[in-house]
Amino acid sequence: MSMPVDRRTLIGGAAAFALAPTGLLAAPRRRPRLGIQLYTLMQLLDRDLEGTIAQVAAMGYREVETLGSFGGDPVRLREIFDRHGLVSPSQHIMPPGLYEVFDAGVAKRIDMATFEREFIAAFSFDRVEGLIEACAQQAKALGQTYIVWQISWPSQLETRAKIDALVKALNRAADTAHREGFTLAYHNHSQEFTKVGTDVPYDLILKGTNPDRLKFEMDLAWATAAKVDPVGYFRRYPGRFRMVHMKDVGADGNVRDPGTGIVPFKRIIPAAEKAGVEHFYVEYDVPKDPMATAKRAYGYLSPLL
């Protein structure tokens, strides 16, 4: 049945049509969907990969971020995601062989000094092209868009010369990712905000890297723990940030479930969207009850997006 149209409705519709680009009504922007960095559930994935992913999908998550392909076959992992209606826009760099080291470090089967040494060796600045090329093969199989450089250790940020070396390596890595059809992104911890002389390493990385090739994934908890306002960065550098980790932290500096710490998500989310952030991932470093954390995080954060 057709509905009567009054003059005001008709005029309003005509005005909207006239103002729309190319004479067509602009499609509404898709609202971002809450995702999860599967590292949050790492201990469960090691025991039951598909069962854990099925539970994540059942909670309502539709996007997941990976650690490479968790040491396994990326084709099989993609098939599991497909079966459960999940897509994976991004991965943290985890070349073949490093996942086992990472797993051992998280489980404290190796000491932190060994963990750091192995990690830095895998991310050697002399071999960043090969590192990115190896990860690109995983990312292609997983249908991903972003490859994320997930950590710079404090020892790599302690002098201006070391920071400059990191910046050069990131530019080379970003160029390689671009050639492979991907975008490199940089994920922070708190150490990037510790001043070296008068310089803030994070600012040097932002200013020294190619803005068209290198984007950023802001970890909200680590920035907040460093007494940094993520909103300020979003406003100063629109277009540089593509992802955020929706991690909360207490005043004591310890990671907490979203909504139970001091990260002001309700203030941050609109600013992040305005700055161009596309993907919002829950993350919690080694939670006591990973599945409960994932469920509570979805319940609190999903209505805010």
Side-chain angles (χ1 to χ4, degrees):
M1 178 186 295
S2 62
M3 297 295 290
V5 180
D6 62 24
R7 182 173 177 271
R8 181 178 300 174
T9 302
L10 186 60
I11 292 173
F17 185 85
L19 291 172
T22 69
L24 296 175
L25 289 174
R29 189 174 67 84
R30 183 184 71 82
R31 297 291 296 173
R33 297 177 295 182
L34 183 66
I36 187 167
Q37 164 52 266
L38 289 173
Y39 166 47
T40 305
L41 302 149
M42 186 170 166
Q43 58 183 282
L44 302 180
L45 293 170
D46 287 347
R47 296 200 295 265
D48 181 5
L49 179 67
E50 181 153 9
T52 300
I53 289 170
Q55 290 186 65
V56 167
M59 289 178 194
Y61 290 103
R62 289 296 173 265
E63 292 188 349
V64 291
E65 185 175 53
T66 68
L67 297 176
S69 55
F70 295 98
D73 179 5
V75 173
R76 175 175 177 260
L77 185 59
R78 172 70 180 274
E79 290 171 350
I80 293 172
F81 290 162
D82 288 347
R83 277 197 293 274
H84 297 284
L86 297 172
V87 296
S88 183
S90 58
Q91 67 162 280
H92 278 203
I93 293 173
M94 197 60 62
L98 186 60
Y99 182 75
E100 290 75 15
V101 173
F102 190 85
D103 201 15
V106 170
K108 301 188 185 309
R109 295 192 297 272
I110 59 175
D111 60 75
M112 185 54 65
T114 301
F115 182 53
E116 179 178 347
R117 184 172 61 251
E118 293 287 340
F119 223 95
I120 290 175
F123 280 68
S124 170
F125 295 170
D126 295 331
R127 301 190 301 273
V128 292
E129 289 83 1
L131 172 67
I132 298 302
E133 287 166 359
C135 293
Q137 296 309 307
Q138 297 173 336
K140 287 173 185 175
L142 288 165
Q144 294 168 331
T145 302
Y146 295 98
I147 295 172
V148 183
W149 187 288
Q150 69 263 48
I151 187 169
S152 294
W153 298 84
S155 62
Q156 296 176 300
L157 301 168
E158 58 191 7
T159 68
R160 178 62 187 263
K162 289 186 175 184
I163 298 166
D164 289 344
L166 170 64
V167 168
K168 290 179 181 178
L170 288 172
N171 277 322
R172 287 167 45 218
D175 287 344
T176 303
H178 180 74
R179 287 196 300 271
E180 294 288 332
F182 297 93
T183 299
L184 186 71
Y186 184 88
H187 170 274
N188 65 279
H189 291 79
S190 58
Q191 54 261 28
E192 283 89 352
F193 303 104
T194 300
K195 282 189 174 182
V196 176
T198 58
D199 295 316
V200 176
Y202 196 70
D203 294 352
L204 294 176
I205 295 168
L206 270 162
K207 294 172 183 176
T209 51
N210 185 336
D212 296 325
R213 297 282 174 88
L214 184 73
K215 303 300 181 182
F216 287 78
E217 179 176 63
M218 172 68 80
D219 189 301
L220 302 179
W222 295 131
T224 301
K227 296 181 170 45
V228 167
D229 180 13
V231 171
Y233 276 97
F234 295 149
R235 289 174 177 167
R236 289 196 299 276
Y237 297 97
R240 292 303 301 273
F241 295 89
R242 288 289 182 262
M243 297 165 283
V244 295
H245 273 179
M246 306 286 273
K247 185 189 299 179
D248 211 342
V249 65
D252 57 2
N254 292 321
V255 177
R256 296 188 179 181
D257 286 351
T260 66
I262 61 174
V263 174
F265 293 102
K266 293 178 182 178
R267 173 174 171 265
I268 288 172
I269 289 170
E273 290 186 277
K274 186 175 181 180
V277 170
E278 300 168 344
H279 306 288
F280 294 78
Y281 298 120
V282 169
E283 189 194 42
Y284 192 129
D285 303 7
V286 198
K288 292 181 180 178
D289 187 341
M291 204 59 73
T293 284
K295 186 174 183 179
R296 284 193 292 266
Y298 188 86
Y300 175 72
L301 292 170
S302 186
L304 302 182
L305 292 175

